[in-house]
Amino acid sequence: MYRTHTCGELTLNEAGKAVTLAGWVQRVRNLGGMTFVDLRDRYGITQLLIDEKASSELKAETAALGREFVVQVVGRVVERAAKNPKLPTGEIEISVNKIKVLNAAELPPFTIEDETDGGDELRMKFRYLDLRRNPLRKAMELRHKMAYEVRTYMNNEKFLEIETPYLIKSTPEGARDFIVPSRINAGQFYALPQSPQTFKQILMVGGYDRYFQIVRCFRDEDLRADRQPEFTQIDCEMAFVEREDVLQTFEGLAKHLFDAVLGVKFEGDFPRITYAEAMKYYGCDKPDIRFDMRIGELTEAAKGKGFGLFDSAEYIGAISAPNCSEYTRKQLDELSEWVKRPQIGAKALVYIKVGDELKSSVDKFYSVAELQNFVEITGAKKGDLLLILAGAKKQTLSALSALRLEMGARLNLRTEGVFKPLWVVDFPLFEYDEPTQRFYAMHHPFTSPNPDQIDLFYSSRKEDLEQVCANAYDFVINGVEIGGGSIRIHDSKQQRRMFEILGFTPEAAEEQFGFIINAFRYGAPPHGGIAFGFDRWCATFGGSESIRDYIAFPKNNAGRDVMIDSPAPVGEEQLRELSIKINKEEKID
Ligand code: ASP
């Protein structure tokens, strides 16, 4: 037997007991005659003591220990003189009488402790060492617990976990597919699923009215900080449901996870806001509602008074930062530079200090009464600082959204450990793309229009189609989009109309989606579903912005696995088998 106990479980209850432990040497501290060793495994850390009276052989063995050596120790549990209340095992130590090195280790390239000196790339290259660290261990434990609790809830709700294939044909989700060449079918390719969307809908036709899957999805997108080329979804679909049923079921899932994983309980329903409200008040479709600081629109009130920036703007909006009216020149200049950064892209920052009197950067153009009107429109209070941006509507709202989040962070209003979930509903069904002069589905082409807007959906006028809302919903926690889904089209006439609006000829629709159109001819029930970004949900619960920490073996920002060094070239022979010819001279953009 390698061990009688783990390194995380011994307490004073076991005092006097003979035990055997196994683990990794985290630290060795030699204090004169005595040596302390911190022994670590997945469960915790236990202090080992090799005291002055130890045999010279044991002392020599201890002296030879290095960081991350794998050892087995035999000893007795004793009460510690200096207790460490921070460790569950902090009241005891093991008085060692035998140490056996099970495996020596090279000096690790970074320290394996909560705070490490290793940079991102180095830690990813030596991921197995990084995984030994507490923060990662906790992240993996949280992820496991989440998956376990998802299955518990879904099972109780009579959902079946059904696997769908990884080698498929493109799904129409908008992003680029990863493709896999077929050896047997020369010149043909599979695609890795961006999501199991079509399969889960076909499962509904197959009669499995409650499906879910914790499933890997693949999207060949340009990488952003919180994106990974392969990521995991909790993918779900239900038949014989309306939007309300879906929202209730998955609000139930969210509440279960909050409670079971974090011990956070929610009374009442999660708030719901429409996409239009989200854009108007928060400038984005995934608002962080842990704090208020809503956007107030000043376009009407501020235009036409001779101030060029405002007069030429399509939109003028403001937020009021609480208790910031005393901001110094320097602070205001810094904030002004911040909004002008290319990522934010505002032209200028206009402010009004709401103190005993109103002081603004546009006093020349506006009377006190006019400024007072701005204050009233935005609901700013005494002590607030009104921050105003102007320009094109879309860009200005997005800049205000970024500024709002930044001020929220600076003022510590985005409190860690506080969770504010909400649903965003009534998204537009289509997005019009000017350069290509056509409509795209905002969600995907299987999303149904809002039931009360069917007439508009059949209208041939662009303005009418722009009005149509999708029967779709997003689930947001603390400004992070955790999931999204929709009620699907199950009527073939509607589906044909959808493809028509999206610019597919009947032949092209048949070629790409023939299998699902066909399936729908054989009795498709009304259905709808949702998918949650599992990695992101874990990261949000863990209080981290990085999904990478919650994936055991993530890719770096260039989409590479630096541990196994992938992607990598393959041999000529392998390529020949796949009937693939690479012309290295010819670079295709
Ligand atoms: N397949 C969609 C997605 O991956 C989710 C859904 O509509 O269920 O975003």
PDB file of all heavy atoms in Angstrom, residues 495-507:
ATOM      1  N   GLN A 495     -39.446  27.685 -42.548  1.00  0.00           N
ATOM      2  CA  GLN A 495     -38.030  27.415 -42.762  1.00  0.00           C
ATOM      3  C   GLN A 495     -37.623  27.822 -44.182  1.00  0.00           C
ATOM      4  O   GLN A 495     -36.559  28.410 -44.391  1.00  0.00           O
ATOM      5  CB  GLN A 495     -37.720  25.928 -42.510  1.00  0.00           C
ATOM      6  CG  GLN A 495     -36.235  25.597 -42.493  1.00  0.00           C
ATOM      7  CD  GLN A 495     -35.491  26.247 -41.316  1.00  0.00           C
ATOM      8  OE1 GLN A 495     -35.732  25.927 -40.153  1.00  0.00           O
ATOM      9  NE2 GLN A 495     -34.613  27.202 -41.601  1.00  0.00           N
ATOM     10  N   ARG A 496     -38.498  27.534 -45.152  1.00  0.00           N
ATOM     11  CA  ARG A 496     -38.210  27.940 -46.541  1.00  0.00           C
ATOM     12  C   ARG A 496     -38.106  29.463 -46.634  1.00  0.00           C
ATOM     13  O   ARG A 496     -37.217  30.020 -47.259  1.00  0.00           O
ATOM     14  CB  ARG A 496     -39.312  27.433 -47.483  1.00  0.00           C
ATOM     15  CG  ARG A 496     -39.022  26.047 -48.051  1.00  0.00           C
ATOM     16  CD  ARG A 496     -39.817  25.781 -49.312  1.00  0.00           C
ATOM     17  NE  ARG A 496     -41.257  25.941 -49.114  1.00  0.00           N
ATOM     18  CZ  ARG A 496     -42.070  24.995 -48.614  1.00  0.00           C
ATOM     19  NH1 ARG A 496     -41.570  23.814 -48.283  1.00  0.00           N
ATOM     20  NH2 ARG A 496     -43.358  25.213 -48.451  1.00  0.00           N
ATOM     21  N   ARG A 497     -39.027  30.139 -45.968  1.00  0.00           N
ATOM     22  CA  ARG A 497     -39.025  31.607 -45.969  1.00  0.00           C
ATOM     23  C   ARG A 497     -37.717  32.126 -45.341  1.00  0.00           C
ATOM     24  O   ARG A 497     -37.111  33.076 -45.829  1.00  0.00           O
ATOM     25  CB  ARG A 497     -40.237  32.115 -45.184  1.00  0.00           C
ATOM     26  CG  ARG A 497     -40.264  33.604 -44.934  1.00  0.00           C
ATOM     27  CD  ARG A 497     -40.432  34.397 -46.220  1.00  0.00           C
ATOM     28  NE  ARG A 497     -40.309  35.828 -46.004  1.00  0.00           N
ATOM     29  CZ  ARG A 497     -39.761  36.682 -46.860  1.00  0.00           C
ATOM     30  NH1 ARG A 497     -39.273  36.227 -48.007  1.00  0.00           N
ATOM     31  NH2 ARG A 497     -39.688  37.961 -46.591  1.00  0.00           N
ATOM     32  N   MET A 498     -37.292  31.478 -44.271  1.00  0.00           N
ATOM     33  CA  MET A 498     -36.055  31.883 -43.607  1.00  0.00           C
ATOM     34  C   MET A 498     -34.882  31.789 -44.579  1.00  0.00           C
ATOM     35  O   MET A 498     -34.104  32.740 -44.735  1.00  0.00           O
ATOM     36  CB  MET A 498     -35.822  30.979 -42.393  1.00  0.00           C
ATOM     37  CG  MET A 498     -34.596  31.322 -41.599  1.00  0.00           C
ATOM     38  SD  MET A 498     -34.673  33.036 -41.049  1.00  0.00           S
ATOM     39  CE  MET A 498     -34.258  32.909 -39.368  1.00  0.00           C
ATOM     40  N   PHE A 499     -34.762  30.667 -45.260  1.00  0.00           N
ATOM     41  CA  PHE A 499     -33.657  30.500 -46.205  1.00  0.00           C
ATOM     42  C   PHE A 499     -33.745  31.527 -47.330  1.00  0.00           C
ATOM     43  O   PHE A 499     -32.736  32.058 -47.780  1.00  0.00           O
ATOM     44  CB  PHE A 499     -33.641  29.072 -46.765  1.00  0.00           C
ATOM     45  CG  PHE A 499     -33.142  28.059 -45.773  1.00  0.00           C
ATOM     46  CD1 PHE A 499     -33.795  26.839 -45.593  1.00  0.00           C
ATOM     47  CD2 PHE A 499     -32.004  28.307 -45.014  1.00  0.00           C
ATOM     48  CE1 PHE A 499     -33.327  25.908 -44.668  1.00  0.00           C
ATOM     49  CE2 PHE A 499     -31.524  27.375 -44.087  1.00  0.00           C
ATOM     50  CZ  PHE A 499     -32.200  26.173 -43.916  1.00  0.00           C
ATOM     51  N   GLU A 500     -34.965  31.820 -47.724  1.00  0.00           N
ATOM     52  CA  GLU A 500     -35.152  32.803 -48.785  1.00  0.00           C
ATOM     53  C   GLU A 500     -34.633  34.184 -48.339  1.00  0.00           C
ATOM     54  O   GLU A 500     -33.873  34.828 -49.045  1.00  0.00           O
ATOM     55  CB  GLU A 500     -36.653  32.870 -49.096  1.00  0.00           C
ATOM     56  CG  GLU A 500     -37.049  33.774 -50.231  1.00  0.00           C
ATOM     57  CD  GLU A 500     -38.580  33.784 -50.359  1.00  0.00           C
ATOM     58  OE1 GLU A 500     -39.245  34.514 -49.603  1.00  0.00           O
ATOM     59  OE2 GLU A 500     -39.095  33.042 -51.194  1.00  0.00           O
ATOM     60  N   ILE A 501     -35.004  34.575 -47.111  1.00  0.00           N
ATOM     61  CA  ILE A 501     -34.545  35.876 -46.609  1.00  0.00           C
ATOM     62  C   ILE A 501     -33.020  35.903 -46.509  1.00  0.00           C
ATOM     63  O   ILE A 501     -32.383  36.911 -46.780  1.00  0.00           O
ATOM     64  CB  ILE A 501     -35.179  36.190 -45.229  1.00  0.00           C
ATOM     65  CG1 ILE A 501     -36.690  36.316 -45.363  1.00  0.00           C
ATOM     66  CG2 ILE A 501     -34.593  37.460 -44.642  1.00  0.00           C
ATOM     67  CD1 ILE A 501     -37.434  36.387 -44.036  1.00  0.00           C
ATOM     68  N   LEU A 502     -32.448  34.759 -46.139  1.00  0.00           N
ATOM     69  CA  LEU A 502     -30.995  34.701 -45.976  1.00  0.00           C
ATOM     70  C   LEU A 502     -30.275  34.551 -47.321  1.00  0.00           C
ATOM     71  O   LEU A 502     -29.061  34.414 -47.368  1.00  0.00           O
ATOM     72  CB  LEU A 502     -30.605  33.550 -45.041  1.00  0.00           C
ATOM     73  CG  LEU A 502     -31.158  33.658 -43.616  1.00  0.00           C
ATOM     74  CD1 LEU A 502     -30.743  32.451 -42.789  1.00  0.00           C
ATOM     75  CD2 LEU A 502     -30.685  34.937 -42.937  1.00  0.00           C
ATOM     76  N   GLY A 503     -31.049  34.576 -48.395  1.00  0.00           N
ATOM     77  CA  GLY A 503     -30.438  34.604 -49.713  1.00  0.00           C
ATOM     78  C   GLY A 503     -30.058  33.242 -50.281  1.00  0.00           C
ATOM     79  O   GLY A 503     -29.240  33.157 -51.191  1.00  0.00           O
ATOM     80  N   PHE A 504     -30.613  32.178 -49.712  1.00  0.00           N
ATOM     81  CA  PHE A 504     -30.352  30.843 -50.270  1.00  0.00           C
ATOM     82  C   PHE A 504     -31.351  30.559 -51.397  1.00  0.00           C
ATOM     83  O   PHE A 504     -32.541  30.773 -51.213  1.00  0.00           O
ATOM     84  CB  PHE A 504     -30.571  29.758 -49.211  1.00  0.00           C
ATOM     85  CG  PHE A 504     -29.483  29.675 -48.185  1.00  0.00           C
ATOM     86  CD1 PHE A 504     -29.548  30.428 -47.024  1.00  0.00           C
ATOM     87  CD2 PHE A 504     -28.396  28.834 -48.378  1.00  0.00           C
ATOM     88  CE1 PHE A 504     -28.546  30.351 -46.064  1.00  0.00           C
ATOM     89  CE2 PHE A 504     -27.396  28.748 -47.420  1.00  0.00           C
ATOM     90  CZ  PHE A 504     -27.470  29.516 -46.266  1.00  0.00           C
ATOM     91  N   THR A 505     -30.865  30.048 -52.510  1.00  0.00           N
ATOM     92  CA  THR A 505     -31.806  29.523 -53.499  1.00  0.00           C
ATOM     93  C   THR A 505     -32.340  28.216 -52.925  1.00  0.00           C
ATOM     94  O   THR A 505     -31.678  27.607 -52.066  1.00  0.00           O
ATOM     95  CB  THR A 505     -31.088  29.204 -54.827  1.00  0.00           C
ATOM     96  OG1 THR A 505     -30.086  28.214 -54.552  1.00  0.00           O
ATOM     97  CG2 THR A 505     -30.437  30.444 -55.423  1.00  0.00           C
ATOM     98  N   PRO A 506     -33.515  27.748 -53.370  1.00  0.00           N
ATOM     99  CA  PRO A 506     -34.016  26.473 -52.843  1.00  0.00           C
ATOM    100  C   PRO A 506     -32.987  25.353 -53.033  1.00  0.00           C
ATOM    101  O   PRO A 506     -32.819  24.506 -52.159  1.00  0.00           O
ATOM    102  CB  PRO A 506     -35.269  26.212 -53.682  1.00  0.00           C
ATOM    103  CG  PRO A 506     -35.709  27.564 -54.145  1.00  0.00           C
ATOM    104  CD  PRO A 506     -34.466  28.389 -54.291  1.00  0.00           C
ATOM    105  N   GLU A 507     -32.249  25.399 -54.148  1.00  0.00           N
ATOM    106  CA  GLU A 507     -31.243  24.349 -54.407  1.00  0.00           C
ATOM    107  C   GLU A 507     -30.112  24.423 -53.386  1.00  0.00           C
ATOM    108  O   GLU A 507     -29.677  23.410 -52.842  1.00  0.00           O
ATOM    109  CB  GLU A 507     -30.643  24.482 -55.820  1.00  0.00           C
ATOM    110  CG  GLU A 507     -31.624  24.290 -56.974  1.00  0.00           C
ATOM    111  CD  GLU A 507     -32.571  25.476 -57.146  1.00  0.00           C
ATOM    112  OE1 GLU A 507     -32.120  26.630 -56.958  1.00  0.00           O
ATOM    113  OE2 GLU A 507     -33.761  25.259 -57.437  1.00  0.00           O
TER     114      GLU A 507
END
